[in-house]
Amino acid sequence: MALDCRLTKWLIDGMANTEDPLSITFAALADPTRRAILTRLARGEATVGELGEPFEMSAPAISKHLRVLEGAGLIAREVDARWRICRLRPEPMHDAHDWLEAYRRHWEGNLDRLVEFVERTHRAKAAKPARSAPRAPRKKP
């Protein structure tokens, strides 16, 4: 728990000073609670209270997670009368997706080449005539 609090503080305080939006996005996505909050917001906007319901943590802890997500640009929060409404802002995730997509294509290409190599090797072995086992010398009677 202490590590999570230090990490959250670092994300809120330290990552706000970085100029690399992709690092901020991935740091915010590193926590399963924050990913669950984003999953919920993908279905539509929600109040802070609604977002905190599934978790066994205090309201201030949920607020810290929301600050990290907001600092990363992944959510927007607004006040409507006495409700604090959150909604998803998917733009930073599009950038993360684009970055990951390049690596997906790279690894799929490598896997395709590996499959081709294995199939070619298998065909070459199947095409070779089988060698007969060496005969044992005959014993003289």
Side-chain angles (χ1 to χ4, degrees):
M1 182 65 149
L3 176 63
D4 186 49
C5 290
R6 287 194 308 266
L7 180 60
T8 301
K9 181 171 177 21
W10 176 76
L11 286 169
I12 292 170
D13 298 338
M15 290 302 288
N17 297 327
T18 186
E19 304 226 357
D20 178 22
L22 197 55
S23 293
I24 295 170
T25 299
F26 282 121
L29 293 173
D31 184 85
T33 301
R34 290 191 285 272
R35 290 193 306 270
I37 289 170
L38 292 174
T39 298
R40 166 54 189 89
L41 289 174
R43 295 192 320 254
E45 61 184 33
T47 65
V48 171
E50 291 170 338
L51 292 173
E53 282 175 8
F55 306 105
E56 292 184 15
M57 61 178 65
S58 67
I62 290 294
S63 291
K64 283 184 181 181
H65 284 297
L66 294 175
R67 278 199 307 273
V68 170
L69 291 170
E70 186 175 32
L74 293 164
I75 68 167
R77 293 193 289 180
E78 63 186 56
V79 177
D80 182 16
R82 60 186 191 121
W83 304 104
R84 286 173 173 63
I85 308 293
C86 298
R87 62 181 161 74
L88 186 64
R89 292 190 63 237
E91 296 83 10
M93 283 195 281
H94 291 302
D95 295 339
H97 176 270
D98 293 345
W99 187 84
L100 289 169
E101 180 65 17
Y103 288 94
R104 183 188 64 78
R105 285 192 306 268
H106 169 76
W107 286 112
E108 282 182 357
N110 283 347
L111 290 173
D112 290 345
R113 286 188 293 281
L114 177 61
V115 167
E116 181 182 316
F117 172 77
V118 170
E119 288 174 348
R120 190 172 54 244
T121 303
H122 181 70
R123 283 191 304 268
K125 284 183 180 180
K128 285 184 181 180
R131 287 195 234 167
S132 57
R135 294 184 182 171
R138 291 186 178 187
K139 293 183 182 176
K140 294 185 179 181

